[in-house]
Amino acid sequence: MKRERTQRENWGTRFGFLMAAAGSAIGLGNIWRFPYLTGEHGGSVFIIIYLFCIAFIGLSIMIAEFAVGRRTSLASVGAYKSQNRSWTFAGVLGVLSGFFIMGFYPVVGGWSLAYMLKSLTGLLANPGATADIFNAFVAAPVEPLIWTVIYLVLNVAIVARGISGGIEAASKVLMPTLFVLLIVIIVKGVTFPGAGEGLAYLFRPDWSQVTGNTLLAALGQSFFTLSLGMGCMITYGSYLRKEENIPANALSIVAMDTMGALMAGLAIFPALFAFGMEPAAGPGLVFVVVPAIFARMGSIGPIMSLVFFAALTVAALTSSISLLEVVVAYLIDERGMDRKRATYLSSIVIMGMCVLSSLSMGTLSGVKLFGVGFFDFFDILTDKIFLAVGGMLLTIFAGWFMKKEDLKDELTSGGAVEFGLFELWYNLVKYFIPVVIGVFAIVGIAAIEQKSLMFFGLFLIFVLGLFSKKL
Ligand code: PHE
């Protein structure tokens, strides 16, 4: 169903749009994922490549996604379809990415929820015990599942009603709180003796650490953290008023998101080195290090920890509702379902995936798909393949299948705003980005352990492409 662009509802205010887009971008990707990837990939070299990807790829793709969304006034699948039916698959690929990310994201969201309560019930009693507590918690069969269900129910409640309302009010308070708390943690963290080593780890590159895998991880993370490559920002752009300056908005969102990630890194690594912990500890990093810092803050520790995990939970929620929304919008727009039905139906399947992901941390740790457990399966499939390919397809679509004048018109709001770097942006999108993603993908796949999973992912995309016109 095609809607007239004049009927499309718009964001109430510029601030509302910025909050929604920044809310989608800033989430577990910044606070949970960025630090542990940095730790697994050698510290500062990873950060440098990540920043390169953000500046030269992510920002341009975000601008392109907003432009495509606003030009077509349609959510992602419709946006592609309306221009060229052979491209429908690129939109559907995005929906699948959203769906699969929801196969593990709520599990981590559930951990964060659980940690709110744990902050008050003994988590901080012994600063040396946080790693054991985390490992025992996630490997348990039932407890993390309960929290995942609660987290998912919160998502469903928000999305079934249509976004806005409570979540906006909560995020207006808790997102700034998150930033303030990060500053508090950073200040505390760098005062521990031995913290300097952590700073060196973040800022002194050791280039011998770089492999194809590092490139792919940094590229994937830049998409994940900015919510790109899956149609989320296309959808958000479709609600954007014509007068709004797309490049300026994209720049602020990218800047906020990057600041969030770097602050999380600064909050964690100095303390981590001071405590003699292992940087490559994996997905438990924030849940181990941050409580260990709060545990050293005396009687205000538990309450600070509670507020931190509350803020993290809300940051996660504003991201996962945007993920769920992409899936739900597809079912509504393209499959003719009503909102409630679409939300409930997709959430039931998502719940099934989350159960598998959560159990793969313990009970089902022996069950492998393409050599990895369920959690890693959903994570690697989306973050290392689908998002990057989705981003590449979007740039090819914008660069080669849309009219340059149309894009220019969109990005200058019909001449009302300046975009002096239009030519640079256009060339990045048309030539540079598809080539760089292609090169990173080839080098990355050559280096990565999970080759069969990578080929499975690419095969899935190929099959989607074959049936594009039927989707
Ligand atoms: N950007 C979100 C985060 O950093 C995750 C996300 C990815 C949200 C893709 C929407 C789309 O947590």
Side-chain angles (χ1 to χ4, degrees), residues 368-404:
K368 303 284 180 209
L369 270 182
F370 299 96
V372 297
F374 289 106
F375 189 108
D376 292 343
F377 174 80
F378 296 127
D379 181 354
I380 296 173
L381 192 62
T382 47
D383 175 75
K384 292 232 168 87
I385 315 171
F386 282 10
L387 296 185
V389 173
M392 183 185 198
L393 290 172
L394 179 96
T395 52
I396 296 173
F397 177 73
W400 300 85
F401 291 82
M402 286 182 73
K403 289 206 200 74
K404 188 174 176 182

Side-chain angles (χ1 to χ4, degrees), residues 187-205:
V187 171
K188 177 82 186 169
V190 294
T191 59
F192 292 124
E197 221 185 303
L199 291 173
Y201 183 77
L202 290 177
F203 296 115
R204 210 174 297 141

Side-chain angles (χ1 to χ4, degrees), residues 134-365:
F134 176 80
N135 293 334
F137 166 60
V138 297
V142 180
E143 195 193 342
L145 275 184
I146 295 174
W147 291 104
T148 302
V149 173
I150 300 176
Y151 180 85
L152 208 53
V153 168
L154 289 173
N155 276 271
V156 172
I158 297 165
V159 173
R161 256 184 233 141
I163 304 186
S164 90
I167 188 79
E168 253 183 70
S171 57
K172 267 183 211 149
V173 181
L174 280 170
M175 295 294 271
T177 309
L178 182 64
F179 276 87
V180 173
L181 278 175
L182 282 173
I183 294 174
V184 173
I185 303 174
I186 294 170
V187 171
K188 177 82 186 169
V190 294
T191 59
F192 292 124
E197 221 185 303
L199 291 173
Y201 183 77
L202 290 177
F203 296 115
R204 210 174 297 141
D206 170 6
W207 292 101
S208 66
Q209 299 268 346
V210 180
T211 67
N213 197 5
T214 324
L215 299 182
L216 202 55
L219 180 72
Q221 173 63 8
S222 70
F223 283 100
F224 187 90
T225 191
L226 295 174
S227 306
L228 297 176
M230 53 155 289
C232 185
M233 294 303 182
I234 299 180
T235 309
Y236 278 16
S238 72
Y239 300 111
L240 194 55
R241 285 171 209 268
K242 182 76 179 178
E243 315 81 78
E244 286 294 351
N245 182 337
I246 289 180
N249 277 299
L251 186 63
S252 2
I253 296 161
V254 168
M256 283 189 269
D257 187 82
T258 307
M259 221 170 69
L262 294 177
M263 284 170 69
L266 276 173
I268 287 182
F269 286 99
L272 179 142
F273 276 86
F275 303 159
M277 292 173 171
E278 180 51 44
L285 206 56
V286 205
F287 294 96
V288 173
V289 178
V290 169
I293 300 172
F294 286 131
R296 290 170 169 85
M297 288 190 181
S299 56
I300 54 161
I303 194 77
M304 300 263 286
S305 176
L306 166 73
V307 178
F308 175 83
F309 286 108
L312 181 59
T313 304
V314 169
L317 273 173
T318 55
S319 301
S320 54
I321 55 177
S322 74
L323 287 159
L324 187 55
E325 179 65 19
V326 169
V327 180
V328 168
Y330 168 74
L331 295 175
I332 297 174
D333 288 353
E334 305 293 327
R335 295 277 164 251
M337 282 185 201
D338 73 47
R339 175 167 282 273
K340 288 216 158 54
R341 194 180 145 82
T343 313
Y344 297 144
L345 194 77
S346 48
S347 305
I348 289 171
V349 186
I350 285 170
M351 191 64 234
M353 295 191 293
C354 287
V355 169
L356 293 174
S357 292
S358 182
L359 292 178
S360 72
M361 299 275 158
T363 320
L364 292 183
S365 61

